[in-house]
Amino acid sequence: MHPEDIKAELRKRGWNGAKIGQKLGVSRHCVSAVIRGRCRSATIEKEIATILEKPLYVVFPNYYSCQSSSD
């Protein structure tokens, strides 16, 4: 998914980077960096995919394949 699409979907569900960061104990900047593809965090990626109710390979297709057992 494009970073702007991820952010829009999160907003529709009542979430933002600050709220995710607070839940996970990280900064909103860290969450934003993951969404934009500037850094990686399996924990943040999984949380975002869970919130969006989508598999990891849909939200972050550059990092996960549909055959991955991590989704």
Side-chain angles (χ1 to χ4, degrees):
M1 292 178 70
H2 188 278
E4 293 301 321
D5 294 328
I6 294 171
K7 292 191 306 185
E9 285 291 322
L10 289 170
R11 279 193 306 272
K12 288 178 190 177
R13 296 167 189 263
W15 288 85
N16 60 33
K19 191 172 177 181
I20 294 169
Q22 184 177 26
K23 178 178 180 184
L24 298 177
V26 299
S27 72
R28 67 178 176 84
H29 299 290
C30 189
V31 176
S32 177
V34 170
I35 291 172
R36 293 184 183 283
R38 293 185 178 153
C39 72
R40 300 278 320 270
S41 166
T43 302
I44 295 171
E45 291 164 1
K46 288 176 185 178
E47 185 63 27
I48 291 169
T50 298
I51 292 167
L52 298 182
E53 299 176 338
K54 297 181 185 294
L56 282 165
Y57 66 85
V58 170
V59 183
F60 299 102
N62 293 340
Y63 305 134
Y64 298 94
S65 71
C66 61
Q67 299 171 346
S68 172
S69 62
S70 300
D71 59 7

